[in-house]
Amino acid sequence: MLSGLSRGWLRPRGRKEDGRLSRASGSATRPMSLESDLIATLGPERVHSHPLELLVYDKDAGVTRGKAIAAVLPETTQEVAACVRLARKYQAPVVARGAGTGLAGGAVPAEPALLVVLTRLNDILEIDAEARTAWVGAGVLNLDLSRATEHLGLHYAPDPSSQAACTIGGNVATNAGGPHCLAEGTTVVHILGMEMVTATGDVVMIGSKAPDPSGLDLRGVVVGSEGTLGIVTKILVKLTENPPAIRTMLVTFDSIQAAAAAVSGTIAAGIVPAALEVMDQPMMIAVEGFIHGDLPVDAAAVLLAELVGLEAGVAAEADVVERIAIEAGATSVKVAADEAERALLWKARKSAFGAVAQAAPDYYLHDTVVPRTKLVDVMTQIYAIGESHGLEMLNVFHAGDGNLHPLVAYDAREPGSEQRVRAAAEEMVRASVAAGGSLTGEHGIGLEKRDLMGLVFDPVDLDAQARLREAFDADGLLNPGKVLPTGARCYDYDLGELPGGGAQ
Amino acid sequence: MTSLRAELAKLADGLLSDSVPGAPETDFTISPEKVDDAAAVLRFAAKSGLRVLFWGGGTHQGMGNAVAADVVLTTHRMSRVIDWQVEDLTIVVEPGLTVADLEAQLQQRGQTAVLPETAPGATVGGVVAAGLSGWRRLRYGPTRDRVLEVVLATGDGRVVRGGGRLVKNVTGYDLPRLVVGSLGALGLIGAVCLKLWPLAAAQGMVEVADPRVALSNAYRPLAVIETEVKAVVYLAGTSEEIAAQAERLGGRLISGHRWPDPPTGRWELSLRVPAGQVPRFVDRIGSHGWAYQAAHGVGEVRFAVEDEGSGELGAMRREAEAVGGALVVMRAPADTDLDPWGVVPESTELQRAVKAAFDPLSIANPGILPGGI
């Protein structure tokens, strides 16, 4: 569609210098060499740099927009490595990108950058049913993997709400979560190995199907690093056995605090359900308007609890959860009678953000985490913060692991609305941190929370993280301006004078 | 050395101690009481070009390349429980606390850190540094999934904190997972926050004929362990649940858990291979009459060898490496020709850079990791 337009920029002499390659195109004799080299490597169809084409790539599902020099669509690890080497040659920053469903700006360039879009690395390369593992390309969609392994009685456990659209590579970059991470853990728990393109354009394998890799285990720091330590192109994931029995319960309450108390009580009683999700009334109303599922819109809050395992254990745990919920003030308890009812409840939960997107012109989805014992306190504060800024707030969150998702619906066209939303966001983060919590449970730091890192880490801690990053990327080529605040690496550590005549 | 000793004695006021039984003879043995003291010692050591060996319970000092050290830093005076949030299922402890003490305390409140079940004398710091997991990892995951926060005294004497006391958290790079298995190469672990699990109401075991079949018949058992004597499936849950599991397995339910003691011998080894490869290697190890414990579904076989004359360990290592695994030496005679690690990982150069980010002068357990990192 844009081919007519793009011919213009492809022709070296016809191109108007617009400064987009300011870091790269200092030499006037080779005004657009990065693009030419990329095209020589990938062909013109897989290199996009027209401003209209780049509109698709320079933002994520959050609120920030960035600037891309070009977006490329490599199909192999070697092509990714070639793109990184070219970017290095022209000193252009590189930002890796999956499906763009992130919310914290991890894939949004903080400065003009080459976007390496990994969606075409979308082959499921191997499924090993006996070892319960799979090798997948970074661009494989989360839900596609679970669908491909269903006939083996296996699934891929992390299930973000965006699982039908998000890529596993993107999940690795953000260490994504989801409702079922309560019992199963977030993405990092399910990543056994990966093939990664380093900042120097080399390809390195980290981890394997064997447990406990020898030497420093780099998997943990790469997962969740938002493309700042390398570009992961292939991923070895752990698959999880489908449970023989599932009990999904919908419990209603007349206050959000009562629902939160039921969650804290369940964990304290030593039960770790597969999922413990809470939704408040405004969110229920929005979801009901979207899916028409006969949801209990009169309740102030609902708890969606799921227990999995053998029938005998599931039944016993369901009884305990019900008892704790009633002690906390539950007004009704309903158990999904069949798979269709269960599917409806999960559809309600996972449609929440879509429902709001349909109902409000704009929304801002928060992500903080607090100790499970502090849920009641912090939720009370969150509502008060929303009210004090006159904001319309809806809540749906992974209550079982203390992961809050206050969602503010607003209209960006209304003057001052964005400032109010951002001011409230920072207050909510501060309230969470004051309760012993942290900045993000699953969405990541990205651009959104970079400058709040100092709330949870001392300068010496941030400096250590910056040094770690330099160990992978000494020149700051990969996704610069993300995760760590500017100046994180300013903590000068001086060993001091050597003792008199001490060292030989 | 005289002036160094005087300066170190001043710095480590009252913390110099006698050498630790089993530890190599060094000029100094220091037992700090808090992480700041450990960091001060490391800073001094870095300035003075002294190499430091960390010592917990001494139970896994046989791992890794031999460390030439001038100072031994022990953790036995750092053994407190700092913060236990019983209702949030998290606990913060110092490194010198023994695993047995920790688990005994947790058990009183019906909780577990799922650390190794049979490691007498092992400390929490040592087990985390060695990256060792309990048998129950098949159900609850390895130790690396348990460490939520770490305080580290780096090789150049900084006190750095990473992660957080939260069960779910993606704030910043995951330093806790980097420290697990680092064998002291980044510095001394000053404290860890561990994620806890509730202990199930009932525990049981079922002896089975074929562990491979049992693994697919049981629903997420705690462990399936095969030794040269028998194969046992370990279960936990409600009493109805474990009874149902025993029925699925077609065996008699034995109440409670009894974990096998680690196999001991002149060579003690950990074979790490893809889970599906375990039966093949078990057959091979068993054919030599060696004592072994295989964790089915996990991919680890621990075994012990008295006489390694034949070169069989080297051959087995090459086979393990060919399938992406490793044969790791846990303990060996001093004069062995067998390398502690085998082939170096592909990521060795990255690892070297990461080590330098924490320990630029390479004084913290120098050279212990593959590639002499």
Side-chain angles (χ1 to χ4, degrees):
Chain A
M1 204 173 110
L2 291 170
S3 57
L5 288 167
S6 55
R7 289 291 87 86
W9 63 258
L10 287 175
R11 216 173 297 124
R13 274 169 298 183
R15 183 170 178 267
K16 201 170 137 190
E17 185 56 62
D18 63 3
R20 273 188 289 135
L21 287 178
S22 55
R23 280 181 72 169
S25 63
S27 154
T29 54
R30 298 194 305 172
M32 42 171 300
S33 320
L34 175 57
E35 277 112 324
S36 321
D37 281 2
L38 288 167
I39 289 166
T41 306
L42 300 177
E45 298 303 319
R46 293 192 283 136
V47 181
H48 301 298
S49 71
H50 190 279
L52 286 181
E53 292 177 304
L54 293 179
L55 281 178
V56 186
Y57 295 112
D58 61 11
K59 76 181 293 291
D60 62 7
V63 293
T64 322
R65 193 174 273 282
K67 217 173 168 90
I69 297 168
V72 290
L73 294 161
E75 289 173 359
T76 64
T77 300
Q78 287 312 324
E79 286 184 352
V80 173
C83 292
V84 170
R85 287 194 297 268
L86 285 178
R88 168 165 290 277
K89 178 175 159 193
Y90 295 104
Q91 297 168 44
V94 179
V95 177
R97 178 187 171 88
T101 59
L103 288 156
V108 178
E111 54 187 278
L114 174 67
L115 277 174
V116 177
V117 183
L118 299 162
T119 47
R120 293 199 180 182
L121 281 82
N122 60 353
D123 288 327
I124 296 175
L125 304 159
E126 178 202 280
I127 294 170
D128 183 339
E130 178 163 20
R132 291 174 183 151
T133 60
W135 268 110
V136 300
V140 168
L141 300 187
N142 176 302
L143 193 56
D144 283 354
L145 179 57
S146 287
R147 285 193 177 132
T149 56
E150 199 173 4
H151 68 286
L152 300 166
L154 301 169
H155 68 286
Y156 178 62
D159 60 339
S161 288
S162 57
Q163 71 183 136
C166 63
T167 64
I168 293 178
N171 296 166
V172 167
T174 55
N175 190 8
H180 288 89
C181 291
L182 173 57
E184 301 298 345
T186 51
T187 298
V188 65
V189 168
H190 305 274
I191 304 303
L192 304 176
M194 55 203 124
E195 184 177 82
M196 182 174 88
V197 174
T198 67
T200 49
D202 296 310
V203 179
V204 64
M205 187 71 86
I206 297 172
S208 81
K209 279 188 202 173
D212 307 326
S214 300
L216 293 175
D217 185 351
L218 302 180
R219 298 172 300 175
V221 289
V222 171
V223 176
S225 66
E226 304 187 7
T228 61
L229 304 186
I231 299 180
V232 172
T233 52
K234 284 182 196 164
I235 304 154
L236 177 66
V237 303
K238 182 165 91 179
L239 299 171
T240 302
E241 198 177 343
N242 294 345
I246 303 176
R247 192 78 95 255
T248 308
M249 308 161 73
L250 190 71
V251 188
T252 60
F253 295 89
D254 54 16
S255 76
I256 191 96
Q257 284 80 5
V263 169
S264 298
T266 300
I267 298 292
I271 293 179
V272 183
L276 274 180
E277 301 284 307
V278 168
M279 223 187 265
D280 69 4
Q281 190 171 28
M283 186 59 93
M284 283 303 270
I285 292 170
V287 172
E288 178 60 22
F290 189 60
I291 69 163
H292 309 292
D294 199 17
L295 301 170
V297 290
D298 296 333
V302 299
L303 167 65
L304 181 61
E306 186 158 277
L307 300 152
V308 304
L310 291 170
E311 180 54 37
V314 164
E317 288 191 344
D319 287 347
V320 178
V321 172
E322 182 170 344
R323 179 174 55 73
I324 289 167
I326 288 169
E327 282 168 13
T331 49
S332 75
V333 179
K334 186 188 165 197
V335 177
D338 52 28
E339 185 53 35
E341 277 192 26
R342 171 178 181 259
L344 177 70
L345 292 177
W346 279 112
K347 186 181 174 195
R349 168 61 186 87
K350 291 190 176 176
S351 305
F353 305 132
V356 175
Q358 201 193 42
D362 299 281
Y363 71 82
Y364 192 109
L365 176 60
H366 302 272
D367 168 44
T368 74
V369 58
V370 298
R372 280 104 42 119
T373 46
K374 301 287 169 54
L375 274 175
V376 178
D377 285 357
V378 178
M379 282 312 298
T380 304
Q381 290 182 56
I382 297 257
Y383 280 102
I385 291 165
E387 208 163 293
S388 75
H389 288 274
L391 294 169
E392 188 190 340
M393 196 164 52
L394 307 86
N395 272 286
V396 53
F397 56 100
H398 310 307
D401 34 32
N403 190 188
L404 307 180
H405 284 327
L407 188 153
V408 174
Y410 67 106
D411 185 345
R413 292 164 300 187
E414 197 182 298
S417 61
E418 281 197 30
Q419 287 86 329
R420 281 189 292 135
V421 170
R422 286 182 190 274
E426 187 166 333
E427 282 178 42
M428 289 177 200
V429 170
R430 285 179 186 276
S432 300
V433 171
S438 197
L439 305 182
T440 165
E442 57 182 13
H443 294 174
I445 297 295
L447 283 171
E448 185 195 24
K449 288 177 173 149
R450 181 190 67 186
D451 296 330
L452 298 174
M453 286 285 275
L455 290 180
V456 286
F457 291 117
D458 291 336
V460 64
D461 305 328
L462 291 174
D463 170 75
Q465 297 201 23
R467 289 175 193 234
L468 173 65
R469 180 179 185 158
E470 282 179 14
F472 284 84
D473 179 17
D475 306 311
L477 188 79
L478 300 175
N479 213 356
K482 299 295 171 59
V483 184
L484 297 174
T486 318
R489 184 68 172 87
C490 69
Y491 177 87
D492 273 326
Y493 188 75
D494 182 10
L495 282 173
E497 292 289 307
L498 291 174
Q504 291 82 5
Chain B
M1 274 297 164
T2 321
S3 74
L4 265 183
R5 171 167 280 279
E7 283 197 52
L8 196 51
K10 199 172 142 205
L11 177 79
D13 184 27
L15 302 177
L16 284 173
S17 64
D18 295 337
S19 62
V20 182
E25 285 296 319
T26 54
D27 295 318
F28 312 101
T29 300
I30 301 173
S31 306
E33 286 174 356
K34 47 188 200 289
V35 68
D36 290 345
D37 294 339
V41 170
L42 284 163
R43 185 176 168 143
F44 179 87
K47 280 201 302 187
S48 316
L50 299 174
R51 298 156 302 178
V52 183
L53 172 69
F54 303 124
W55 197 273
T59 51
H60 298 105
Q61 291 286 347
M63 290 181 75
N65 300 317
V67 173
D70 307 299
V71 177
V72 171
L73 202 58
T74 79
T75 58
H76 70 266
R77 285 186 183 150
M78 295 171 69
S79 58
R80 284 156 292 217
V81 172
I82 297 171
D83 181 22
W84 183 7
Q85 294 293 325
V86 176
E87 300 204 331
D88 207 27
L89 291 145
T90 61
I91 193 166
V92 182
V93 302
E94 290 186 322
L97 182 66
T98 65
V99 170
D101 278 357
L102 170 65
E103 291 287 3
Q105 289 187 52
L106 293 173
Q107 195 176 3
Q108 291 179 3
R109 303 294 295 265
Q111 299 182 347
T112 173
V114 205
L115 294 177
E117 294 80 6
T118 44
T123 61
V124 173
V127 161
V128 169
L132 301 174
S133 299
W135 291 112
R136 295 166 289 170
R137 71 183 290 175
L138 180 62
R139 177 69 186 84
Y140 295 109
T143 295
R144 75 189 281 271
D145 293 341
R146 205 99 48 239
V147 185
L148 305 174
E149 182 184 65
V150 68
V151 176
L152 184 73
T154 64
D156 56 0
R158 292 167 281 149
V159 177
V160 167
R161 188 178 60 82
R165 299 177 185 182
L166 297 154
V167 294
K168 189 177 185 184
N169 184 20
V170 295
T171 309
Y173 300 118
D174 194 340
L175 296 190
R177 277 191 173 79
L178 182 64
V179 166
V180 177
S182 64
L183 280 177
L186 307 176
L188 181 78
I189 295 169
V192 286
C193 177
L194 301 170
K195 176 181 178 174
L196 306 176
W197 284 88
L199 280 171
Q203 280 147 9
M205 305 180 290
V206 175
E207 220 173 288
V208 294
D210 186 338
R212 206 169 181 175
V213 171
L215 190 63
S216 59
N217 282 348
Y219 175 71
R220 303 186 80 172
L222 293 190
V224 179
I225 306 173
E226 180 185 358
T227 68
E228 67 279 10
V229 183
K230 60 187 173 185
V232 176
V233 180
Y234 291 75
L235 303 165
T238 62
S239 49
E240 295 85 359
E241 211 173 358
I242 63 171
Q245 290 264 49
E247 207 176 304
R248 281 166 79 121
L249 291 164
R252 189 175 64 86
L253 184 67
I254 305 156
S255 178
H257 287 158
R258 276 177 299 283
W259 303 100
D261 288 323
T264 53
R266 293 185 68 218
W267 280 268
E268 293 170 14
L269 302 131
S270 170
L271 178 85
R272 297 158 181 186
V273 291
Q277 301 279 338
V278 166
R280 176 160 80 89
F281 282 95
V282 160
D283 286 348
R284 184 157 173 176
I285 291 165
S287 73
H288 295 289
W290 295 334
Y292 65 87
Q293 294 166 359
H296 283 272
V298 171
E300 187 182 16
V301 186
R302 295 285 288 267
F303 64 106
V305 177
E306 278 305 324
D307 182 14
E308 198 286 316
S310 60
E312 169 67 349
L313 290 178
M316 206 183 294
R317 165 176 279 166
R318 284 188 294 278
E319 271 196 42
E321 288 169 351
V323 292
L327 181 73
V328 175
V329 174
M330 306 300 284
R331 186 184 303 278
D335 58 352
T336 184
D337 289 335
L338 193 67
D339 183 85
W341 297 111
V343 70
V344 297
E346 241 182 62
S347 60
T348 295
E349 286 319 303
L350 277 179
Q351 293 184 34
R352 205 180 297 283
V354 170
K355 154 96 170 172
F358 292 87
D359 180 24
L361 301 170
S362 196
I363 60 123
N365 275 8
I368 194 167
L369 295 177
I373 292 171

